Amino acid sequence: MLERDECLDQLTELLDRCAEGTGATGIISGAVGFGKTTLLEAVVARAADRGYMVLGAVGSQVESAIPYAVVEQLFQSAELAGTETDLHAQLQRAKEEWSQLGLEAGAAQAMQAYHGLLVELSAHQPVVLCVDDIQHVDSESLACLLYLIRRCRRNQVTILLTLGPSGAAPCEGVLAELACRPGVVHVRLGAFDAQGMAQLIADRFGQAAAEQYAPGFYAMSGGNPLLAQALVSDHTARQAHPETGYSPVAADLFREASVACTRRSGPNGLRVARGLAVANGAGSPALLAQLVGLEKCDVDSAMEILTESRLIEGLRFRHPAIRSAVLDNMSATDRSRLHHRAAGLLRSDGAPVIVVAQHLIAAGTVEDDWAPQFLMDAAKQALREDRVSLAVQCLQLADSCCHDRSQSHVIKAHLARIKWRDQPEAAARMMLSLVGPARTGDLPGALRLKVAHRLLMQGRVADAIEIGGPLFSGHQGETPGDQLTLELNVTRLWLAFTYPGVYEQLAGHVAPASHQQASSLQIGRPRLSAIHTLWAVLKRGPDDVLAAEAERVLQHLPAEDDTISSLNSAIAALVYADRLESAATWCSQLQTAATERRAPTWHALFTSTRAMIALRSGALRTAAESAEAALRSMSVEAWGVEIGMPLATAIEARTAMGDHAASAELVNSPAPPGLFETRFGLHYLYARGRHYLATGYYDAALADFILCGEKAQEWDLDSPTLAPWRTGAVEVWLQRGRREHASRLADEHLALVKRAQRRTFGVALRVQAMARPPSQQIELLGTAVDMLQSAGDPYELALTLVELCRAHQRQGAAAQARLLVRQAWRMADECGAEGLCSSLMPKPASGAQAEQPRALPPADDMVTNVLSEAELRVCSLAARGHTNREISDKLFVTVSTVEQHLTRAYRKLNIRHRRELPASLAS
C-alpha cells in the first residue's frame, strides 16, 4: 500500500471502534485510478481476519436505475450464525408489503426493514458494510445507506464507502450530507509524488533503477497509481535492467489502464476524452462541447475529472500513448465521424489549414465542396514547413474527393511535383499521364510547361514542342500572369543551354540575352538569375561578376522542389568557371540538406554534380564512386536525358584511372533517346571519346570528338570548359602523326580560354605544348605546371609533369626528368590514376618485380646551409609535387606564408620555378 499506510491506519481505527460497540463510517474518495478499491479491499481483509461479518456491494452504471439493487447486493449473503432465521424470506415478505404502499411510505418501510436487519446481524458479531463506487448507486439504495449511517451509531457496524470524482454521477450531495456528521472519517487519496514513484520502482527493480527511471515514469503517468503500476508491469515484461537505460514504454497494460480510466470517468468523461483525442489540442472547450454534443458546463466538469486523474493537461492528453489508446478504443466509424465534424468546426473557427487538413485526412472520405481547394492550400503550407508526407496526403485526398476534371489534373500535377523528390519514377509517370490534358488545354500554362519539360527529359521532343509551342508563340489561350511569364523565361534560358535545337524551334525568335529578369520583389527571381548565370558562363565565358551572382543565388535561394534545378545550375556555373572549391562547398551543403530532408532525388542530382567537381579536381576515385552512386540512385526512366551527366563523369573518371573494363561497361549501357540533342550529350560524347582514345580506338575517338565539336559549334555552346573536344582531337591527331592538324586545334582551344581559368588554361597549355616543337615545350609546360598547381588538379598536373619529363629527356636533362617522373607518379598515385602510375613504373627485367620510384639522396650541405628550416620544409614538399594549398594544410600555415617562403628560397637558390628545385629536396 504505497503512500497509503496512513490512510489504512485511519480506517482500521474504525474497526477498533466497531468492536467496542461504536458505529462509524469511512468514505474513501479520489480521482479515477487512484486506488480507492485497493484501499477498501485492504481494510475489508483486516476486518475478515478479525472475524467480522463483511457485507459488500458495488455500484454500477448499468444497475443505477434499478431500485434497491445495491442494498439487495449487501444483504444477499447475510446469515445469522446459530439461528434458524431466514433473512432472505423476511426481505422478500417486506418487499411485497412495500410495493402495496405509496412511494414515500414504501421507502420509509424499506429503510426501517434494512435497518432492523442490520441491527439484528450486528448483535451477533461486528458487521462491516462496504459499497464501492457509490456514485453509481441507485437513488433508493443511496437513501437507505444514508439512513443506516444516521441510525447505527450505537451498533457494531462500520460502513465503508468509496466515492469517485465529483461530477462522475449525480451524487455530489453525499459528501455534503455526511461532512458534518459525527463518526464519519473522510480519506481522500492523491496521486503519487516523485518520491512515491521512486519507491514503487525501487520495490520492483532496486534503488539504482529508481534513480534512473523515476522521472520518466512520473512524467508519463502523472503519479496516477493505476497508470504507474501498469507502466511498472509493462517494464517488468520487457525484462529491463538498470544498465539498459530504458525509458518507460507504453505497452499493453498501460494502454488498457488508460482506457479504463476514461471509461470510469463517467459517460460524459468518456465522450469528452474521445473528443480530446480527436481534437488533439486544437480548438477550445466551447468548440469541444460542439464536437461531442454536450453543454459547456458538462464538458468543463468532465475535463475536471480527467485532469484530476492526471490523464490530461489543458486540452491535450498527458502522453501520446494515452491518446492513442483512447482513439484505438473507438470504432472506425466514430473516429471518422468525429474527425470530419472537427474539421468543419475548426475551419469555421479559423484554425490553421494544416490542422483542419489533418482531420480531413483522418476522416478518410470527404464530400464537402470546399475540401479539394482547401486541401491544396494545406499542401502548399505543408511544403513550406517541409512536411512532405503530409503534403502528399493532402493532395491524394483532394484528388479522391475532387469532381472537377480540370482541378483534378492540377492536383495530379502538383502531386507529381512533390513526389519527384523521393519517388522520381512514379512522379515521371504521373506527369506523363497529363500529356492528354496538356494537349487539350485542360492545364494552366505553367503546368503545361512542366509537362513539356518532363517530355523533353524523356527525349520526346515532338510531343514537347506540340504542347509548349503555343505557350512560347503567345497562342496559349490564357493571359500570361507573373508566374507563367517567369516560367517561360526560365524555360527559354534552360532550353538555350540544355536543348539548343528545341530552343530554336520554340523560342528562337527571342534572344535569351534580351530577357529581362524579374523585379526584385517578384517571387522566383533567383531561379531566373541562376539559369541566366549558367547560360552566360557557357556563352561568353566566366568572369568575377557571374561567379559572384552564382554565389548570391546559392546563398539566398532556398532548396525546394521548384528550385533544385536552379541551385544545381548555379553550382554548374561555378564548375564551368573553374571555381571548384566554392562549387564543392555549396554542393556538399546541398547534399547534406537533401539527406536531412529525405529527398533522394535531390541528393542524386547533387551527387552527380559533386562527381563532376571531383573529376575536375583530380579526385578520380571520388568522381567515379560518386557518379556511379548517382546512377544507382535512380533508374534511367527517372534520370531521362540528364543521365548523360553522371554517365559521362563515370566514364571519364574510370578511363583516367586506367579501369578500362569498367569504363567499357558504362559506355555499353543504354542511353536514353534525345541525349545527343542536349548539353549532357556533349559531355557524354567527350567522355566516350576519351575512353576510345585510351583503348586505342582512334577512329571512334576522333568521330566522337568531331561530332561533339560540330554540335557545340552549331548550338553556340563551344565552351572550353563544357566539353573540351579539341584537346581530345589533338591527342588523336598526334597519335596519327598529324601535328599540323593538332597544332591548329590546340591554338584554337587556347584562344577560347580566359587566363583567369587556371585549370582550363593549364590543360590548354599542356595540349598546345604537345603539338609544338620540342624547343617550345618546356616553357609552355612550365607555365602549365604553375597554373595547375594553383588550380589544385593533381591528375592534370601529373599528366603535365609527364610531358615536361619527356621534354627534359629529349634535351638530355636526365636528373630533372627523374625528379619530374617521381613527382608525377606520386600525384597520380594520390588521385587514383593507376594506369598512369603503371606507365611511369620502371620496366622490370624478365621475372623481376617492378619497384616504386625510389627516394633521392638527402639534400646537400649547400642547400641546407642556405635555406632556413621553415623554407627547407616548404621547398621539400614543393619538390615532391604538393600544391601550395596542400603545403599550407600539412604545415598548418597560410597559403600566403607558403608563397613567401618559396619566393625567398627561389631567390637564395637563384631559380625561377619549383620544377628547378634541387632533386635532393624531394627526399
Side-chain angles (χ1 to χ4, degrees), residues 224-258:
N224 181 305
L226 180 62
L227 297 182
Q229 293 283 1
L231 268 182
V232 170
S233 298
D234 282 336
H235 206 63
T236 303
R238 297 173 67 220
Q239 299 181 345
H241 300 284
E243 298 82 20
T244 60
Y246 288 157
S247 297
V249 173
D252 292 342
L253 292 177
F254 183 82
R255 292 171 59 84
E256 290 170 6
S258 300

Short mmCIF file of all heavy atoms in Angstrom, two decimals, residues 224-258:
data_model
loop_
_atom_site.label_atom_id
_atom_site.label_comp_id
_atom_site.label_asym_id
_atom_site.label_seq_id
_atom_site.Cartn_x
_atom_site.Cartn_y
_atom_site.Cartn_z
N ASN A 224 -0.59 9.00 -11.35
CA ASN A 224 -1.82 8.20 -11.25
C ASN A 224 -1.40 6.76 -10.90
O ASN A 224 -0.68 6.10 -11.67
CB ASN A 224 -2.55 8.22 -12.59
CG ASN A 224 -3.83 7.43 -12.58
OD1 ASN A 224 -3.85 6.25 -12.25
ND2 ASN A 224 -4.93 8.06 -12.97
N PRO A 225 -1.81 6.25 -9.74
CA PRO A 225 -1.31 4.94 -9.31
C PRO A 225 -1.62 3.81 -10.29
O PRO A 225 -0.78 2.92 -10.49
CB PRO A 225 -2.04 4.72 -7.98
CG PRO A 225 -2.33 6.09 -7.48
CD PRO A 225 -2.63 6.90 -8.71
N LEU A 226 -2.81 3.83 -10.91
CA LEU A 226 -3.14 2.76 -11.85
C LEU A 226 -2.22 2.79 -13.06
O LEU A 226 -1.70 1.75 -13.49
CB LEU A 226 -4.60 2.90 -12.29
CG LEU A 226 -5.10 1.84 -13.27
CD1 LEU A 226 -5.03 0.45 -12.65
CD2 LEU A 226 -6.55 2.14 -13.71
N LEU A 227 -1.99 3.99 -13.60
CA LEU A 227 -1.09 4.12 -14.75
C LEU A 227 0.35 3.78 -14.35
O LEU A 227 1.08 3.14 -15.13
CB LEU A 227 -1.15 5.54 -15.31
CG LEU A 227 -2.50 5.99 -15.88
CD1 LEU A 227 -2.37 7.41 -16.45
CD2 LEU A 227 -2.99 5.05 -16.96
N ALA A 228 0.75 4.21 -13.16
CA ALA A 228 2.11 3.93 -12.72
C ALA A 228 2.33 2.42 -12.56
O ALA A 228 3.36 1.89 -12.99
CB ALA A 228 2.37 4.65 -11.40
N GLN A 229 1.39 1.75 -11.92
CA GLN A 229 1.53 0.29 -11.75
C GLN A 229 1.54 -0.42 -13.10
O GLN A 229 2.30 -1.38 -13.30
CB GLN A 229 0.36 -0.25 -10.91
CG GLN A 229 0.34 0.21 -9.46
CD GLN A 229 1.36 -0.53 -8.59
OE1 GLN A 229 2.09 -1.38 -9.07
NE2 GLN A 229 1.40 -0.17 -7.31
N ALA A 230 0.75 0.08 -14.05
CA ALA A 230 0.73 -0.52 -15.39
C ALA A 230 2.08 -0.34 -16.08
O ALA A 230 2.58 -1.25 -16.74
CB ALA A 230 -0.39 0.09 -16.22
N LEU A 231 2.66 0.86 -15.94
CA LEU A 231 3.97 1.10 -16.53
C LEU A 231 5.02 0.16 -15.95
O LEU A 231 5.85 -0.40 -16.67
CB LEU A 231 4.40 2.54 -16.28
CG LEU A 231 4.05 3.60 -17.33
CD1 LEU A 231 4.60 4.95 -16.90
CD2 LEU A 231 4.58 3.23 -18.69
N VAL A 232 5.00 0.00 -14.64
CA VAL A 232 5.96 -0.88 -13.99
C VAL A 232 5.78 -2.31 -14.48
O VAL A 232 6.76 -3.02 -14.75
CB VAL A 232 5.82 -0.79 -12.46
CG1 VAL A 232 6.63 -1.88 -11.78
CG2 VAL A 232 6.27 0.58 -11.97
N SER A 233 4.52 -2.76 -14.60
CA SER A 233 4.27 -4.12 -15.08
C SER A 233 4.72 -4.29 -16.52
O SER A 233 5.30 -5.32 -16.88
CB SER A 233 2.77 -4.43 -14.95
OG SER A 233 2.36 -4.38 -13.59
N ASP A 234 4.46 -3.29 -17.35
CA ASP A 234 4.94 -3.36 -18.74
C ASP A 234 6.46 -3.43 -18.78
O ASP A 234 7.05 -4.16 -19.58
CB ASP A 234 4.47 -2.12 -19.53
CG ASP A 234 3.02 -2.22 -19.95
OD1 ASP A 234 2.51 -3.35 -20.05
OD2 ASP A 234 2.40 -1.18 -20.18
N HIS A 235 7.07 -2.66 -17.89
CA HIS A 235 8.54 -2.64 -17.85
C HIS A 235 9.08 -4.00 -17.39
O HIS A 235 10.11 -4.47 -17.89
CB HIS A 235 9.00 -1.53 -16.92
CG HIS A 235 10.36 -0.99 -17.22
ND1 HIS A 235 10.65 -0.36 -18.40
CD2 HIS A 235 11.51 -1.00 -16.50
CE1 HIS A 235 11.91 0.01 -18.40
NE2 HIS A 235 12.46 -0.36 -17.27
N THR A 236 8.39 -4.61 -16.47
CA THR A 236 8.80 -5.93 -15.99
C THR A 236 8.73 -6.94 -17.11
O THR A 236 9.62 -7.79 -17.27
CB THR A 236 7.89 -6.38 -14.84
OG1 THR A 236 7.94 -5.40 -13.79
CG2 THR A 236 8.34 -7.72 -14.28
N ALA A 237 7.68 -6.85 -17.93
CA ALA A 237 7.52 -7.80 -19.04
C ALA A 237 8.63 -7.66 -20.06
O ALA A 237 8.95 -8.61 -20.78
CB ALA A 237 6.16 -7.57 -19.72
N ARG A 238 9.27 -6.48 -20.12
CA ARG A 238 10.36 -6.27 -21.08
C ARG A 238 11.70 -6.76 -20.53
O ARG A 238 12.72 -6.65 -21.19
CB ARG A 238 10.48 -4.79 -21.42
CG ARG A 238 9.27 -4.21 -22.10
CD ARG A 238 9.39 -2.71 -22.26
NE ARG A 238 10.45 -2.37 -23.19
CZ ARG A 238 11.30 -1.36 -23.02
NH1 ARG A 238 11.23 -0.62 -21.94
NH2 ARG A 238 12.22 -1.10 -23.92
N GLN A 239 11.69 -7.29 -19.31
CA GLN A 239 12.92 -7.79 -18.69
C GLN A 239 14.00 -6.71 -18.68
O GLN A 239 15.14 -6.93 -19.07
CB GLN A 239 13.42 -9.05 -19.41
CG GLN A 239 12.44 -10.19 -19.37
CD GLN A 239 12.97 -11.44 -20.06
OE1 GLN A 239 13.93 -11.37 -20.80
NE2 GLN A 239 12.33 -12.57 -19.83
N ALA A 240 13.59 -5.54 -18.24
CA ALA A 240 14.52 -4.42 -18.24
C ALA A 240 15.44 -4.49 -17.02
O ALA A 240 15.09 -5.04 -15.99
CB ALA A 240 13.73 -3.11 -18.19
N HIS A 241 16.61 -3.94 -17.17
CA HIS A 241 17.57 -3.86 -16.09
C HIS A 241 18.10 -2.43 -16.05
O HIS A 241 18.09 -1.72 -17.06
CB HIS A 241 18.73 -4.83 -16.32
CG HIS A 241 18.27 -6.26 -16.40
ND1 HIS A 241 17.92 -6.98 -15.29
CD2 HIS A 241 18.09 -7.08 -17.46
CE1 HIS A 241 17.56 -8.20 -15.66
NE2 HIS A 241 17.65 -8.27 -16.98
N PRO A 242 18.57 -1.99 -14.91
CA PRO A 242 19.05 -0.60 -14.81
C PRO A 242 20.12 -0.26 -15.82
O PRO A 242 20.21 0.87 -16.28
CB PRO A 242 19.59 -0.53 -13.37
CG PRO A 242 18.85 -1.60 -12.62
CD PRO A 242 18.61 -2.70 -13.61
N GLU A 243 20.95 -1.24 -16.20
CA GLU A 243 22.05 -0.94 -17.11
C GLU A 243 21.57 -0.63 -18.52
O GLU A 243 22.30 -0.02 -19.32
CB GLU A 243 23.03 -2.12 -17.17
CG GLU A 243 23.67 -2.44 -15.82
CD GLU A 243 22.76 -3.27 -14.94
OE1 GLU A 243 21.83 -3.92 -15.48
OE2 GLU A 243 22.93 -3.26 -13.71
N THR A 244 20.39 -1.08 -18.88
CA THR A 244 19.94 -0.93 -20.26
C THR A 244 19.53 0.49 -20.59
O THR A 244 19.48 0.87 -21.76
CB THR A 244 18.75 -1.86 -20.55
OG1 THR A 244 17.68 -1.51 -19.66
CG2 THR A 244 19.15 -3.31 -20.33
N GLY A 245 19.21 1.26 -19.57
CA GLY A 245 18.85 2.66 -19.83
C GLY A 245 17.52 2.83 -20.53
O GLY A 245 17.30 3.79 -21.23
N TYR A 246 16.58 1.89 -20.35
CA TYR A 246 15.28 2.01 -20.99
C TYR A 246 14.52 3.22 -20.47
O TYR A 246 14.55 3.52 -19.28
CB TYR A 246 14.42 0.78 -20.72
CG TYR A 246 14.83 -0.47 -21.44
CD1 TYR A 246 14.47 -1.71 -20.95
CD2 TYR A 246 15.56 -0.42 -22.62
CE1 TYR A 246 14.83 -2.87 -21.61
CE2 TYR A 246 15.94 -1.56 -23.29
CZ TYR A 246 15.56 -2.80 -22.78
OH TYR A 246 15.92 -3.94 -23.42
N SER A 247 13.81 3.86 -21.34
CA SER A 247 12.83 4.85 -20.93
C SER A 247 11.50 4.12 -20.79
O SER A 247 11.33 3.04 -21.35
CB SER A 247 12.71 5.95 -21.98
OG SER A 247 13.93 6.64 -22.10
N PRO A 248 10.54 4.68 -20.05
CA PRO A 248 9.25 3.99 -19.91
C PRO A 248 8.58 3.81 -21.27
O PRO A 248 8.58 4.72 -22.10
CB PRO A 248 8.45 4.92 -19.00
CG PRO A 248 9.13 6.23 -19.09
CD PRO A 248 10.57 5.95 -19.32
N VAL A 249 8.03 2.65 -21.48
CA VAL A 249 7.39 2.33 -22.75
C VAL A 249 5.93 2.01 -22.50
O VAL A 249 5.60 1.22 -21.60
CB VAL A 249 8.08 1.14 -23.44
CG1 VAL A 249 7.30 0.71 -24.66
CG2 VAL A 249 9.50 1.51 -23.82
N ALA A 250 5.05 2.63 -23.27
CA ALA A 250 3.61 2.39 -23.12
C ALA A 250 3.24 1.11 -23.85
O ALA A 250 3.01 1.13 -25.05
CB ALA A 250 2.83 3.58 -23.67
N ALA A 251 3.19 0.00 -23.13
CA ALA A 251 2.81 -1.27 -23.73
C ALA A 251 1.34 -1.55 -23.42
O ALA A 251 0.57 -0.65 -23.08
CB ALA A 251 3.73 -2.38 -23.23
N ASP A 252 0.96 -2.82 -23.52
CA ASP A 252 -0.46 -3.18 -23.46
C ASP A 252 -1.13 -2.76 -22.15
O ASP A 252 -2.24 -2.21 -22.16
CB ASP A 252 -0.62 -4.68 -23.66
CG ASP A 252 -0.24 -5.11 -25.06
OD1 ASP A 252 -0.20 -4.24 -25.96
OD2 ASP A 252 0.03 -6.30 -25.27
N LEU A 253 -0.47 -3.03 -21.02
CA LEU A 253 -1.11 -2.75 -19.73
C LEU A 253 -1.33 -1.25 -19.53
O LEU A 253 -2.37 -0.83 -19.01
CB LEU A 253 -0.27 -3.32 -18.59
CG LEU A 253 -0.21 -4.85 -18.53
CD1 LEU A 253 0.71 -5.31 -17.40
CD2 LEU A 253 -1.61 -5.43 -18.31
N PHE A 254 -0.37 -0.44 -19.94
CA PHE A 254 -0.54 1.00 -19.80
C PHE A 254 -1.69 1.50 -20.68
O PHE A 254 -2.49 2.34 -20.26
CB PHE A 254 0.76 1.71 -20.19
CG PHE A 254 0.70 3.20 -20.02
CD1 PHE A 254 0.91 3.79 -18.78
CD2 PHE A 254 0.41 4.04 -21.10
CE1 PHE A 254 0.86 5.16 -18.62
CE2 PHE A 254 0.35 5.41 -20.94
CZ PHE A 254 0.57 5.97 -19.70
N ARG A 255 -1.77 0.96 -21.89
CA ARG A 255 -2.86 1.37 -22.78
C ARG A 255 -4.21 0.94 -22.21
O ARG A 255 -5.18 1.71 -22.25
CB ARG A 255 -2.64 0.78 -24.17
CG ARG A 255 -1.43 1.38 -24.90
CD ARG A 255 -1.12 0.61 -26.18
NE ARG A 255 -2.25 0.61 -27.09
CZ ARG A 255 -2.54 1.58 -27.95
NH1 ARG A 255 -1.76 2.65 -28.01
NH2 ARG A 255 -3.58 1.50 -28.74
N GLU A 256 -4.28 -0.28 -21.68
CA GLU A 256 -5.54 -0.75 -21.10
C GLU A 256 -5.93 0.08 -19.88
O GLU A 256 -7.11 0.40 -19.68
CB GLU A 256 -5.40 -2.22 -20.72
CG GLU A 256 -5.30 -3.16 -21.92
CD GLU A 256 -4.91 -4.57 -21.53
OE1 GLU A 256 -4.84 -4.84 -20.30
OE2 GLU A 256 -4.67 -5.40 -22.42
N ALA A 257 -4.94 0.43 -19.07
CA ALA A 257 -5.22 1.25 -17.89
C ALA A 257 -5.71 2.63 -18.31
O ALA A 257 -6.61 3.21 -17.68
CB ALA A 257 -3.97 1.37 -17.03
N SER A 258 -5.15 3.17 -19.39
CA SER A 258 -5.59 4.48 -19.87
C SER A 258 -7.05 4.45 -20.31
O SER A 258 -7.84 5.35 -19.98
CB SER A 258 -4.70 4.91 -21.05
OG SER A 258 -3.35 5.00 -20.67
#
